[in-house]
Structure formats: C-alpha cells, structure tokens
Amino acid sequence: MRSRVIPSRIPTIVNTTCINHNTKTQCPPLFLSGNKGYTNNAIANWSLGIKTCNKSSDSQGLFQISWTPKRNLSSKAFTSNSAGTPPTRRDTNLQHSLHDRTLKQKLRRRLPTVGVVTGFHNDTDHVEAMGLLGYDFLWADAEHSSAGPESVSKLILAAERRGMPTLVRIGYGYQNIIGHSQKYLVAGAQGIILPQCESAQDVQKIVDAVKFPPIGKRGLAGERWNAWCLGEGGTLADRVNESNQNSIVAVVIESCNGIDALDEILKVKELDFIFVAPTDLSADLGVHGQIRHPSVIQKVEEAGEKIRQAGISAGMLALTPQDYSYWRDRGYNVMSTVAMNMFVDGAQAMMKSIVKYELQGMKRLKQMALKVIASQLTKEETGFLGETFSSIDLNKDGVLSVEELDIAIASGTFSGTLLEKLISLRDDLMITGEKTLAWKDFLADTMMDKKLDFLHEHKIRQAFNHLKKANKSNISISDLNEVFGSEKIAKELLMDADSDGDGEISYEEFRNVLVSDKDGIDAK
C-alpha cells in the first residue's frame, strides 16, 4: 500500500487529538469529512489513518498518511487502481481525467456510457451541473457551434472540476491538421471525436493527433493534462504512457459512404468508439431531419450490428427516454443526449403548461364577458341581434371573427346602443385572446337566460299577489311553500328578495326585486 506525506494543516482531517512530536506517539485514525474535492461517497468508501509522526522544522510537523479502501468500488469517480491507491481524482490535488481509466475501461468493455453534447460554449454552470448529475463525459461540440479552443477550455475546466472528462468534436477537414486537434488536447480534452468519417485514413489522422510517439505524432510539452509536470503523477515519460493508454479516439459515421467503409475503419487499432449520427444520415438518404424514418433506422441498425461484431463500442443519439431504451435494446452502449434539446424540452413543457392554464382562464373570462353582454340585452334586442350577427357573418359559418366585427363597426350601418354593444363585444373578444364568437350558440344561451329570468319574475309576482290577498304586511317562507308547493323555490325566492335578512319579504322588498312595477305594485 502506498503512503503519502501530507502537511498536518490539510482541511480534510478532523476529529484529531494533539500529537506529541517528541515521543512520536502513534496517532489515532482519521476520516474524511466533506472537504472540497470529496463527495459523501468518498467519505464512505475510504479510510484515512496516520501511521507515524515525524518531527519537522515546521512546528506543525508532518503526518504520514495511508489510504485504505473499505470495499470494492465500482462507480466511475471512485475506482481504485491495482495498487489500492486512493481515488486521486477526488484528492485535493486533483488529477486530470487522463489519470483515471474509467471512461476508457467502460468503452473497451462496452458498458453503458452516457455523454451530453453541448454547444453552449460561453456557459460553464450547466457543464458542472451535468457532472454532478452523473453523466460520464462531456461532448464539447466545436462543429455545430462557434466554439473554439479558448471557449472549450473553460468547459473542460468546469467538467474536470466535477470529475467528468471531455471529448471534443472538431469540424470535418481538421483531421488533416494535427495542430488543430492539439489545441483542444492542450486545453485538457481527454480525446477527439471526428465527424463525417468515411475512411480508415481519417481515423488514423486522429490517432496521430491524439497519441504521442511511437503510436501517434502529437507534440509533447508541459500542459494541463500532465499538470506541467508538477505535483504527483510520476515522470513525464510516465504521464505520456498514461495518456497514450487513456486518451480517447472516436469518429462519427453519418453517410452511406461511411457505413460502406466500416470494415476498413474498424481495423484501426486505437479506435475507441464509433458514433452513428442519424441526422446527417437522414440527409444523405434524402429524408432530411427524419431521424426515425424506416430507411434511417435500418441503416443505423445495420451499422450498429457491424460495429458490435468487431467488439467496438457503438454510439447513438438519445433525444428522448424512448430513444435511449430503443437503441440500448439493440446493443448501442454509448448514448449521447443534447443539452440544447434538454433545455428546449424543459422550457417547452413549462410554456405548454402556462399556455394551457392561461387559455382556460381566457375561456372563463370570455364566458363572463359574454354573460354580462347578454344580461344587458332585452328580448327584442336579442332577436334583432340575431339578424345583425347574421348580416355581419360574412363567411356564413355561424362564427363571428374580430375582423368581421371591425368591418361591421366601420361600415356606418350600426349606431346607438347596438353599435356600443358591438364595440364592447369586439373588445371583450380581443381581451380574452380567442377572437371568435359562435354567435348562434351565444344567442341560444342568451334566450334561455331571458326565459329563466322571466319565469323567476313570474314566481315573485305570484308570491306578491298572495301577500295582497292574505292582507299581510310580510310573507314568510311557510307562505311561499303554500303558494308553490316547493321548499326549494321558496328558499330561492326568500334569498333573492329578503334584503334585510329577517326571514320574511315585505312590500318594499318585493318592489326592489321585481324587474318593473308596471303592474302598479305599491306599498300597502
């Protein structure tokens, strides 16, 4: 087991007791506690103990620390190496992703591996969020975005901070320029993805750009991936060997020519995975953008089968959970989601809910507005309005539009109260946002309301006549029951007319509630 010497004032150590440096007393065991660079899983999975204490010129002294794995670790962030050393990716002295073999091992073993494609090159927060959510790698897109090495380097730093490696998709044609790919590798990318691959020569050029001699032709210097030869990680030769072992070479097949060339492409030894892109493939097949078209599905399935038979990881686009399950069931193991699609899907779902709610509110508002208009119409006006609406309804479809109302209002045909009501109707339709009125249904409902109003008024007059015949000053609910033989009607009338709440209806209250006093209703 390897030990490291760490100054005693590191923030990771808690629950310590005073150390007697003169007697070199055996130190008590220590445990990790939520410091920057560690997660709760790391706390649970690794024990940290002090083996000895040594006197130092520093009055604080030095602790010799040993790491002990508590159990076998399988998650990507905490897989130990054969020497049983701690999860150095999570150390306060964070190592680059190239030091960690997790992504390489998952690809070589064809395990489920999920990446997220992003072209949001000016925002790093979403990258950190994806790392925290557990995505296996960041696919930084320098092909379908305006991203360059400077902006991508910021995404790489954000991804590395959350333990997520970055692969950069360069633009097609740049495989011919090793220095272009090297810009992204210098920035800290763990690998390069080449789009529109159609030959083994294309793949070999990416191998040359990603790998150091003797495998490739990549130039060597102190850079981010090797921590400028600072800190831990061994000699520069050790780090070059580690990079050649763990760096990723990937290509995208997105044409029929690329699929036809798969046999030769698959012979390139350093190839880690092949991604089959359905969008460009759909364009090549003449069904632009129809990524679920039967001809596209057939080609993708044929390509995937050939890639799997060669023992290489196969990648596919997963825009929905259904996409993911469909292609996983067919053996694809590298699944790539897209940050823009996830953002749009979430924003679209939210907006649909907002619009649905507001439309429901608009419909209620429209109903209320029309009810107010209807309540202001006399029976004669309602009948006349039917003739008016029929003349305004230019399309004769039983529906009035705002445009048709505008034409009627501007025509000069209507004036007075009727013109005011048409203007009011037009404004109410604009406010509600629906901009149409099924006028025949509206008039039918209005006539029904008028009929109900008339019947209600008739009942009140019946009760009033009973009051006069009985020579009473007030009528009670029992009297109303006697008149109508219905407790429900009696209660409704009492509720409408009993303004002072004394349980009885007086002459004055009758006068107030009746629509008119044309029958000569006077107080007794």
Side-chain angles (χ1 to χ4, degrees):
M1 182 176 296
R2 191 178 75 173
S3 296
R4 300 198 297 131
V5 177
I6 303 177
S8 63
R9 285 184 288 184
I10 59 174
T12 59
I13 300 177
V14 296
N15 300 327
T16 60
T17 59
C18 295
I19 306 299
N20 188 330
H21 294 285
N22 294 323
T23 60
K24 294 183 173 60
T25 306
Q26 181 69 32
C27 302
L30 302 174
F31 297 92
L32 303 181
S33 179
N35 60 291
K36 182 179 180 181
Y38 284 91
T39 68
N40 290 332
N41 285 338
I43 299 169
N45 295 334
W46 294 88
S47 294
L48 178 64
I50 295 180
K51 295 179 66 176
T52 61
C53 289
N54 300 311
K55 186 70 180 286
S56 170
S57 57
D58 183 351
S59 60
Q60 295 294 325
L62 294 175
F63 293 155
Q64 189 173 18
I65 306 295
S66 65
W67 298 81
T68 305
K70 290 184 177 179
R71 58 182 176 84
N72 274 333
L73 307 175
S74 58
S75 66
K76 67 171 185 138
F78 308 110
T79 302
S80 62
N81 59 30
S82 59
T85 52
T88 50
R89 294 265 319 280
R90 296 305 189 200
D91 198 299
T92 50
N93 181 23
L94 288 172
Q95 298 285 349
H96 188 270
S97 292
L98 279 168
H99 186 72
D100 180 270
R101 289 185 57 81
T102 302
L103 181 57
K104 188 77 169 188
Q105 289 174 341
K106 293 186 80 168
L107 293 174
R108 286 302 166 105
R109 294 168 62 188
R110 294 176 54 198
L111 297 175
T113 308
V114 184
V116 56
V117 182
T118 184
F120 296 143
H121 57 86
N122 288 323
D123 177 73
T124 58
D125 289 355
H126 80 286
V127 173
E128 291 198 48
M130 294 301 169
L132 291 169
L133 286 170
Y135 284 86
D136 292 294
F137 68 93
L138 178 72
W139 176 319
D141 197 353
E143 182 193 21
H144 295 296
S145 78
S146 57
E150 291 184 2
S151 54
V152 168
S153 69
K154 297 180 178 65
L155 302 185
I156 293 171
L157 286 172
E160 287 291 328
R161 170 175 165 75
R162 299 302 178 183
M164 181 171 62
T166 301
L167 306 180
V168 178
R169 174 166 61 180
I170 60 174
Y172 183 75
Y174 283 110
Q175 72 270 26
N176 298 312
I177 307 172
I178 290 178
H180 179 79
S181 296
Q182 190 164 338
K183 294 286 185 182
Y184 295 103
L185 298 168
V186 167
Q190 187 169 342
I192 297 295
I193 302 171
L194 174 69
Q196 301 181 41
C197 179
E198 294 187 344
S199 69
Q201 290 74 23
D202 284 342
V203 186
Q204 188 56 54
K205 289 176 180 178
I206 294 301
V207 173
D208 289 343
V210 172
K211 305 294 182 180
F212 293 101
I215 301 173
K217 300 177 180 178
R218 179 177 171 184
L220 178 61
E223 297 165 355
R224 177 173 291 142
W225 65 272
N226 59 31
W228 301 273
C229 298
L230 301 173
E232 297 184 355
T235 65
L236 185 56
D238 293 332
R239 300 179 199 223
V240 167
N241 182 57
E242 189 174 69
S243 176
N244 276 347
Q245 288 180 355
N246 297 338
S247 54
I248 306 297
V249 173
V251 298
V252 184
I253 300 294
E254 36 198 329
S255 67
C256 294
N257 287 340
I259 293 175
D260 293 341
L262 270 175
D263 290 333
E264 292 301 316
I265 289 171
L266 288 165
K267 291 178 182 179
V268 179
K269 182 180 178 182
E270 298 296 332
L271 184 59
D272 291 295
F273 76 87
I274 296 177
F275 188 90
V276 183
T279 307
D280 279 304
L281 185 57
S282 73
D284 198 41
L285 291 169
V287 287
H288 295 72
Q290 300 179 51
I291 63 174
R292 298 176 184 86
H293 190 278
S295 62
V296 177
I297 297 294
Q298 181 181 353
K299 283 290 186 180
V300 174
E301 289 181 350
E302 290 175 0
E305 182 62 29
K306 185 170 289 190
I307 295 168
R308 291 192 302 277
Q309 287 178 357
I312 300 293
S313 283
M316 183 55 184
L317 188 65
L319 298 181
T320 67
Q322 292 74 26
D323 288 341
Y324 184 92
S325 58
Y326 183 90
W327 293 113
R328 282 290 293 121
D329 289 343
R330 284 153 183 79
Y332 277 84
N333 64 292
V334 181
M335 306 303 295
S336 290
T337 60
V338 181
M340 173 61 86
N341 286 76
M342 290 189 284
F343 169 75
V344 170
D345 288 346
Q348 194 172 56
M350 184 65 182
M351 183 51 67
K352 283 182 178 179
S353 297
I354 291 170
V355 170
K356 182 179 178 180
Y357 176 85
E358 294 300 337
L359 282 178
Q360 290 173 344
M362 290 297 186
K363 288 179 181 178
R364 290 192 295 269
L365 182 59
K366 177 180 177 180
Q367 291 169 355
M368 291 174 60
L370 295 179
K371 193 168 184 179
V372 170
I373 294 173
S375 68
Q376 297 172 347
L377 296 174
T378 66
K379 296 171 190 175
E380 292 77 12
E381 286 178 324
T382 303
F384 180 67
L385 200 57
E387 298 176 6
T388 304
F389 284 165
S390 180
S391 67
I392 296 174
D393 184 6
L394 301 177
N395 297 325
K396 303 304 177 186
D397 55 1
V399 176
L400 288 182
S401 66
V402 170
E403 290 77 13
E404 288 172 325
L405 284 169
D406 283 337
I407 292 171
I409 291 169
S411 68
T413 305
F414 307 100
S415 60
T417 303
L418 183 57
L419 179 61
E420 292 176 3
K421 292 187 184 301
L422 291 177
I423 294 173
S424 176
L425 176 61
R426 186 259 186 204
D427 291 343
D428 286 333
L429 291 177
M430 287 295 293
I431 290 171
T432 60
E434 293 202 2
K435 300 185 180 180
T436 58
L437 169 68
W439 64 269
K440 291 183 178 179
D441 294 338
F442 166 69
L443 290 179
D445 292 341
T446 301
M447 291 302 292
M448 181 60 69
D449 289 341
K450 294 301 175 185
K451 184 177 180 181
L452 292 175
D453 288 344
F454 176 78
L455 291 175
H456 187 62
E457 179 180 338
H458 180 67
K459 290 174 184 176
I460 293 176
R461 291 186 181 280
Q462 278 185 282
F464 177 75
N465 290 332
H466 176 79
L467 181 64
K468 288 177 66 176
K469 290 177 181 179
N471 198 28
K472 293 182 177 180
S473 59
N474 295 287
I475 188 169
S476 66
I477 192 168
S478 60
D479 296 320
L480 294 173
N481 275 332
E482 183 180 337
V483 175
F484 301 110
S486 169
E487 184 177 356
K488 180 181 178 183
I489 294 176
K491 287 182 178 179
E492 288 177 353
L493 292 176
L494 186 67
M495 185 179 298
D496 287 342
D498 184 16
S499 58
D500 58 12
D502 62 357
E504 295 183 334
I505 305 174
S506 65
Y507 278 98
E508 187 63 33
E509 288 172 330
F510 267 124
R511 289 181 61 191
N512 292 336
V513 79
L514 288 174
V515 176
S516 71
D517 62 351
K518 62 183 179 181
D519 290 338
I521 300 173
D522 297 314
K524 187 175 179 180

